[in-house]
Amino acid sequence: MQSGQEYWAIKDKTDEKTTNKSERNIVLSASAVTESSVHLHIKKFPKGHQMNCVKRTLALVSCLVLGGFSSYAQDIKQQEAPIKKVTAPQPLEYPTVQIGKAGTAILVTQVDNGTIGSSSGFFVRQDLIVTNIHVVAGIYGKSFSCSAKSIDLLTQYTIKGVVASDPEHDLVILKVEGASDSVLQLGDSDAVALGENVIAIGTHEEALGEIVKGTINRITPDFFHVRAIFLPGYSGGPVLNDTGKVIGICMEGGETKSLGYVIPSNHLKALLKNIRTQEQPLVKWREEPLIRAYAIVRQGDERIALGDSKAAIEAYDAAIRLKPDFATAYARRAEAKYNLKDYEGAVKDFDTSIRLGRDYAIDYVNRSVVKKNLRNYKGAIKDCDTAIRLDPQNAEAYFIRGNTRSDVGDHKMAIEDYDTAIHLKPRSTILATAHVKRADSKFKRGNNIGAIKDYTEAIRLRSNNPAILAVVHINRGIARFNLGDTEGAIEDYDEAIRLKPKNTILTQVYVHRATAKAKLGNSIGGIKDCDAAIHFSEKDTNFAAYVYSKRASIKLDMGDNKGAIEDSDDAIQLNPELVDAYVIRGDAKVNLGNHNRAIKDYNTAIYLKPDYTEVYHKRGNAKIEIDKTSEAKIDFQTALKLAKSEGTQSLKDKIKKALRLLEGQEIENENPE
């Protein structure tokens, strides 16, 4: 996978049972990463969302962040724009930067379909350029040409061939025709210290020679982790210390602040000891099995970019057959398997890639998302913990851990993770979703004011994503409704409808708006919105049943008892276990004086939900009407017992009053005046 904007949205299958007596929050997270089937992002592909209502929750957005070759993005994006030169103000590191730029080369590549991309390399001798193998290995099955230029574009060098390569560490030394006056000196990578400041120089899609400053965050024998953004095109470029010596070679990067991986320079020193006296032509070199494995991985990446994960897996399989210890190929194949919902296979491949040396924080984050989708929440949190230990600035790890904690109901800790993720200021898509997820957790903890604040910020950040924006407006509308701002809620619902989300979301917003309109006394408007929701939910019988019960409730409040009974009948026919449909129908029958039939409906409701406090109270009142006072008293006592632990104060007061009246009636019957 190359760098750039590479995120996955994943589907969460959590199911939550609710009734239609209260408004429910629509949970949108990323995931998303997610309605979100999984897709690889070579460019931004905003993902879907989730709504939670009546035994159903649509997909949660989570984000699976995928690291990759930092040169490949431009090939996939079919970059045709001319390369621009950048003249920047002189930084404090000016001497080091000037040394680095003078010795850095631009490698311009072109394949047979006209795709152009640029990567980086640097001179280690006057006629030798170092870069990554994946920069010049090509895409398997396509002709591929490569040329070199100086960073100022004034000098062009013809690549004569390869004089040395190290497939294990993704390094190749190219011999060029011509000579550079600026040769970079290699430093001792064994002497690199944690926290050391470094500068990377490379080629970005719109600029040459831009520097990236960072610090060494982690040191292993095979790579350094640098807290910096290595943009597309930086692969193969030099990483210099403050004395202007090369201590590493850019290898992978992405658009997260902490995603930058570097090959230690001492691996290059070892390679320089094995230079051929005669260069090998690039075409012949690419035929070597281990080099061909790199080209096949690039082919797999291209197929994923085109949406063909099955074909991508075939390519990665071929690469692994050529190079069984190719850790990156396993990581890529894991991503493709995830895309095809082979989650167990994806976990195994991530396990292998980590075991083979890709012990990257980002791979632990990726694996955590896969485990989350397998409902292995402990494993997902553990992987995020590891990622955070390896890279404390990894915003995505906090974000995914927050999502996982939210899934298991630990909203307090989830909010803490979202706080950290937001503080680290990840790229805007992750930042917006973190605000949404934090809002959702605040909502579930009863903090509607805090939720509204986060939803508002998410709306500002995601103004160009209508699908997610619609759901966020619904969420904010629900929070406003709960705070009594019914008119504000309707404004949000209106905006969500204007954004024309998919039908599964549209049905939800119509129901919420119907409830708000009914609360303001606009029962006709509420019924019309229910009609629209029923129309859009024809294929979802359970949700259609819920909407019928909602419309029945509005009709009941209007005094249309017959209409309420008809809608309740329809709801029960679609979903015989919809408790509130029986309650509403029972209420309508009480209003019509048919207490015996009402009691039958209340009986069914209590059978389906034995702890339904309010229904015991309703059934008790109905039994009084048919002179079953002793049974009514039992119902009131049961209701009071349940209400002490769950009920509102107003419901408790109603039940106590009913008991007092009933007890007074019994005394009166026993002692007539």
Side-chain angles (χ1 to χ4, degrees):
M1 211 72 51
Q2 83 281 13
S3 67
Q5 300 170 4
E6 302 171 306
Y7 291 83
W8 301 71
I10 82 166
K11 178 174 280 188
D12 184 314
K13 302 173 183 175
T14 306
D15 187 32
E16 181 178 336
K17 295 183 178 181
T18 56
T19 68
N20 70 343
K21 282 297 179 182
S22 62
E23 293 302 298
R24 267 78 87 205
N25 193 30
I26 298 170
V27 183
L28 180 153
S29 349
S31 65
V33 41
T34 71
E35 291 299 353
S36 56
S37 32
V38 184
H39 296 286
L40 170 68
H41 291 228
I42 300 304
K43 297 182 72 175
K44 287 185 186 176
F45 285 64
K47 291 304 166 191
H49 355 284
Q50 172 170 2
M51 300 181 69
N52 176 15
C53 198
V54 186
K55 298 184 180 180
R56 67 191 296 270
T57 304
L58 302 178
L60 295 174
V61 176
S62 301
C63 294
L64 176 57
V65 187
L66 306 172
F69 294 150
S70 58
S71 61
Y72 182 42
Q74 290 165 298
D75 288 344
I76 294 299
K77 290 160 69 174
Q78 296 189 351
Q79 167 74 14
E80 298 292 349
I83 297 172
K84 300 177 184 177
K85 295 175 61 177
V86 171
T87 302
Q90 296 180 356
L92 295 176
E93 305 84 355
Y94 180 68
T96 298
V97 171
Q98 290 305 102
I99 291 170
K101 284 186 176 183
T104 299
I106 306 158
L107 296 173
V108 180
T109 58
Q110 186 168 1
V111 296
D112 56 12
N113 66 354
T115 300
I116 296 174
S118 61
S119 301
S120 306
F122 60 94
F123 283 93
V124 286
R125 293 186 188 175
Q126 286 186 318
D127 59 348
L128 298 182
I129 293 176
V130 173
T131 189
N132 293 137
I133 290 175
H134 76 260
V135 168
V136 290
I139 299 175
Y140 185 73
K142 295 186 176 183
S143 62
F144 187 85
S145 63
C146 184
S147 61
K149 296 181 180 180
S150 60
I151 203 78
D152 59 9
L153 302 179
L154 297 178
T155 308
Q156 182 159 336
Y157 305 93
T158 300
I159 297 174
K160 297 174 69 175
V162 174
V163 292
S165 61
D166 177 3
E168 182 180 354
H169 296 107
D170 194 12
L171 290 173
V172 61
I173 302 175
L174 306 172
K175 188 169 185 178
V176 298
E177 189 175 289
S180 171
D181 294 331
S182 301
V183 175
L184 298 186
Q185 300 299 310
L186 299 184
D188 182 4
S189 57
D190 289 341
V192 170
L194 289 175
E196 182 174 346
N197 294 323
V198 294
I199 294 173
I201 300 175
T203 302
H204 188 36
E205 60 183 353
E206 294 182 352
L208 300 180
E210 281 194 348
I211 68 164
V212 173
K213 294 186 288 185
T215 56
I216 301 293
N217 182 57
R218 184 184 174 204
I219 300 171
T220 78
D222 292 322
F223 66 85
F224 301 149
H225 177 246
V226 177
R227 188 170 298 140
I229 302 175
F230 289 174
L231 298 171
Y234 274 59
S235 281
V239 178
L240 300 92
N241 60 18
D242 57 6
T243 66
K245 290 187 177 180
V246 177
I247 52 86
I249 302 92
C250 295
M251 174 176 54
E252 290 193 51
E255 291 197 355
T256 60
K257 290 191 293 184
S258 60
L259 185 57
Y261 294 94
V262 176
I263 304 164
S265 60
N266 284 356
H267 292 305
L268 175 56
K269 285 184 177 181
L271 184 59
L272 282 166
K273 295 177 181 179
N274 296 302
I275 292 179
R276 298 185 183 96
T277 56
Q278 182 64 39
E279 67 273 6
Q280 183 181 20
L282 275 174
V283 173
K284 187 174 181 180
W285 171 74
R286 288 182 186 133
E287 293 175 356
E288 293 182 6
L290 298 184
I291 308 306
R292 196 161 70 247
Y294 278 89
I296 293 172
V297 166
R298 293 280 298 271
Q299 181 190 58
D301 294 347
E302 184 181 55
R303 288 175 175 176
I304 281 189
L306 296 172
D308 191 350
S309 294
K310 186 176 180 180
I313 289 174
E314 293 176 359
Y316 300 139
D317 289 345
I320 290 168
R321 284 194 296 271
L322 291 171
K323 193 175 186 296
D325 62 348
F326 201 169
T328 298
Y330 286 100
R332 298 289 199 279
R333 191 172 70 177
E335 295 155 7
K337 287 180 178 179
Y338 181 83
N339 219 14
L340 295 175
K341 301 184 181 180
D342 178 10
Y343 305 128
E344 292 181 356
V347 169
K348 289 180 181 178
D349 274 346
F350 276 129
D351 291 346
T352 303
S353 70
I354 291 170
R355 177 176 56 80
L356 289 174
R358 261 188 69 101
D359 191 24
Y360 295 177
I362 197 62
D363 281 4
Y364 286 101
V365 175
N366 289 350
R367 190 172 69 177
S368 74
V369 177
V370 183
K371 288 180 177 179
K372 181 177 179 290
N373 211 52
L374 286 169
R375 296 181 182 272
N376 179 6
Y377 300 118
K378 288 184 179 179
I381 290 173
K382 184 177 179 181
D383 272 346
C384 287
D385 291 343
T386 302
I388 290 167
R389 176 177 58 80
L390 296 176
D391 178 13
Q393 302 298 310
N394 193 304
E396 287 73 21
Y398 290 101
F399 174 74
I400 298 300
R401 191 172 69 177
N403 289 350
T404 308
R405 285 173 166 171
S406 176
D407 288 349
V408 298
D410 188 358
H411 298 293
K412 181 180 179 181
M413 293 301 294
I415 289 172
E416 291 184 8
D417 277 335
Y418 296 137
D419 288 345
T420 305
I422 291 167
H423 174 74
L424 291 171
K425 297 180 180 179
R427 69 188 183 95
S428 59
T429 49
I430 294 294
L431 184 61
T433 311
H435 276 289
V436 174
K437 284 294 294 179
R438 188 171 71 175
D440 177 62
S441 289
K442 287 179 178 179
F443 178 93
K444 290 180 178 177
R445 287 177 61 81
N447 182 4
N448 287 290
I449 294 175
I452 289 171
K453 184 178 179 180
D454 271 330
Y455 287 138
T456 301
E457 180 63 11
I459 289 169
R460 185 185 70 81
L461 292 169
R462 293 299 285 269
S463 59
N464 294 325
N465 191 328
I468 294 179
L469 191 59
V471 178
V472 177
H473 274 291
I474 299 171
N475 288 354
R476 190 174 71 174
I478 295 169
R480 284 177 165 177
F481 182 89
N482 290 344
L483 288 173
D485 182 10
T486 309
E487 291 181 352
I490 290 175
E491 288 178 2
D492 269 326
Y493 300 147
D494 289 345
E495 181 62 18
I497 291 170
R498 187 191 67 79
L499 291 167
K500 299 180 180 179
K502 62 180 68 176
N503 287 355
T504 52
I505 298 174
L506 201 56
T507 55
Q508 304 285 333
V509 66
Y510 275 117
V511 172
H512 287 302
R513 195 173 71 173
T515 301
K517 286 181 176 179
K519 185 177 180 180
L520 290 177
N522 182 8
S523 298
I524 300 299
I527 289 173
K528 286 182 178 179
D529 277 345
C530 286
D531 293 343
I534 290 169
H535 171 73
F536 287 114
S537 63
E538 290 177 348
K539 295 181 180 180
D540 188 342
T541 56
N542 283 341
F543 188 72
Y546 164 72
V547 181
Y548 275 113
S549 71
K550 173 66 69 175
R551 193 171 70 178
S553 178
I554 295 173
K555 288 181 177 179
L556 182 69
D557 292 340
M558 291 175 62
D560 182 6
N561 293 297
K562 290 184 178 180
I565 291 172
E566 289 174 359
D567 277 344
S568 297
D569 290 343
D570 288 336
I572 292 167
Q573 184 176 0
L574 291 171
N575 183 5
E577 296 184 357
L578 186 55
V579 176
D580 287 342
Y582 292 99
V583 178
I584 294 166
R585 191 169 70 178
D587 292 349
K589 289 175 179 178
V590 164
N591 291 342
L592 293 173
N594 196 339
H595 300 290
N596 283 309
R597 290 189 176 181
I599 289 170
K600 288 182 179 179
D601 277 332
Y602 295 145
N603 289 344
T604 304
I606 289 171
Y607 171 78
L608 293 171
K609 188 180 179 184
D611 60 347
Y612 205 154
T613 306
E614 190 175 358
V615 181
Y616 283 102
H617 178 235
K618 290 174 180 288
R619 189 172 71 175
N621 286 330
K623 286 179 177 178
I624 289 175
E625 296 296 329
I626 58 174
D627 297 326
K628 291 186 176 181
T629 54
S630 59
E631 292 183 19
K633 185 175 182 180
I634 294 172
D635 274 343
F636 291 148
Q637 290 171 340
T638 302
L640 186 59
K641 183 178 179 181
L642 291 171
K644 286 180 179 179
S645 59
E646 295 181 3
T648 62
Q649 187 59 46
S650 60
L651 180 57
K652 292 177 189 178
D653 292 342
K654 286 181 182 179
I655 298 168
K656 288 178 181 178
K657 181 178 180 181
L659 272 171
R660 286 196 300 269
L661 290 173
L662 185 59
E663 289 169 353
Q665 182 180 344
E666 288 176 347
I667 293 172
E668 183 178 346
N669 290 339
E670 290 175 3
N671 301 292
E673 294 182 0

